[in-house]
Amino acid sequence: MLTDLFSPTVQHSLDLAGIFVFAISGALLGVRKNFDVFGMAVLAEVTALGGGLFRDLIIGAVPPAAFTDLGYFLTPLLATVIVFFLHPEVERITKAVNVFDAAGLGLFCVAGTVKAYDHGLGLTFAATLGLATAVGGGVLRDVLAHEVPSLLRWDRDLYAVPAMVGSTMAALLIRYGELNAQTSMVPALTAFALRLMAMRYHWRAPRAWHRRSAATEGPDGT
């Protein structure tokens, strides 16, 4: 199977690393929203596991991995504890957290595409679920926190596009029979690099042409 690209230990370690950095971002949003520790934990769990949970339910991989591996469940709680006690310090290294978040984005978009394909989806839909795996948790996090999801806002640096590129590249490698442990890092690193460049240069998706006003708008369009 294509999911056997890495040894189980390496794959598990990569999954936990991605889950941890996603959970940090969820817990930090809980702090900014003045949530209590339970609310922080919920946002951490949802951010870290939401995309993979959605993918597994769609492809019928039940029970989802989030409910069969205790490490998947406990890692976001560890991130919550760290943020609960050390959030000022964590906020000060936000740039470093964002770098690791970008790495998680790259890993998850490829892993999601491969797993979806292994469960019988066509390449287009496998790539779509790869994208959902990478960004789905962030969307759920923002919805629960009463925020417009970041990937829908024009005033945020590109996030979904790098994951989309990575998922598409992974699907093309599968299509031509070239996906292995080494080549799988190409789409992951591409998504990672694109996300870093978007943060560095503030790349954003274009808005509709011929808009009536060039004035800055808020998230609600006002």
Side-chain angles (χ1 to χ4, degrees), residues 75-96:
T75 299
L77 297 183
L78 173 62
T80 301
V81 171
I82 292 173
V83 173
F84 181 80
F85 288 106
L86 301 174
H87 63 87
E89 288 76 10
V90 176
E91 288 279 12
R92 282 197 289 270
I93 60 169
T94 297
K95 288 185 178 180

Side-chain angles (χ1 to χ4, degrees), residues 2 5-6 106 109-111 113-114 117-118 122-124 126-127 164-191:
L2 290 174
L5 293 175
F6 302 99
C109 71
V110 174
T113 301
V114 170
Y117 180 78
D118 267 348
L123 290 175
T124 299
M164 190 183 305
V165 171
S167 298
T168 301
M169 290 178 64
L172 289 173
L173 287 172
I174 295 171
R175 168 66 177 81
Y176 292 105
E178 297 296 334
L179 189 72
N180 54 49
Q182 290 72 41
T183 60
S184 68
M185 297 310 297
V186 175
L189 290 173
T190 299

Side-chain angles (χ1 to χ4, degrees), residues 64-208:
F67 291 94
T68 59
D69 190 313
L70 189 60
Y72 286 15
F73 177 76
L74 293 180
T75 299
L77 297 183
L78 173 62
T80 301
V81 171
I82 292 173
V83 173
F84 181 80
F85 288 106
L86 301 174
H87 63 87
E89 288 76 10
V90 176
E91 288 279 12
R92 282 197 289 270
I93 60 169
T94 297
K95 288 185 178 180
V97 173
N98 286 339
V99 170
F100 287 110
D101 181 87
L105 184 81
L107 291 172
F108 277 27
C109 71
V110 174
T113 301
V114 170
K115 186 170 184 179
Y117 180 78
D118 267 348
H119 279 76
L121 266 66
L123 290 175
T124 299
F125 297 109
T128 301
L129 273 189
L131 169 64
T133 303
V135 306
V139 171
L140 292 174
R141 173 201 64 206
D142 292 343
V143 170
L144 287 176
H146 299 288
E147 295 262 328
V148 176
S150 296
L151 63 84
L152 300 181
R153 293 181 58 173
W154 69 269
D155 59 342
R156 298 296 176 88
D157 302 331
L158 292 178
Y159 193 80
V161 171
M164 190 183 305
V165 171
S167 298
T168 301
M169 290 178 64
L172 289 173
L173 287 172
I174 295 171
R175 168 66 177 81
Y176 292 105
E178 297 296 334
L179 189 72
N180 54 49
Q182 290 72 41
T183 60
S184 68
M185 297 310 297
V186 175
L189 290 173
T190 299
F192 173 62
L194 285 175
R195 174 57 182 160
L196 290 185
M197 293 175 70
M199 291 190 293
R200 173 66 178 83
Y201 297 106
H202 303 296
W203 290 349
R204 293 166 183 170
R207 291 186 285 170

Side-chain angles (χ1 to χ4, degrees), residues 49-64:
L49 304 176
L53 181 62
F54 174 78
R55 176 204 61 215
D56 288 351
L57 291 176
I58 291 295
I59 64 179
V62 292

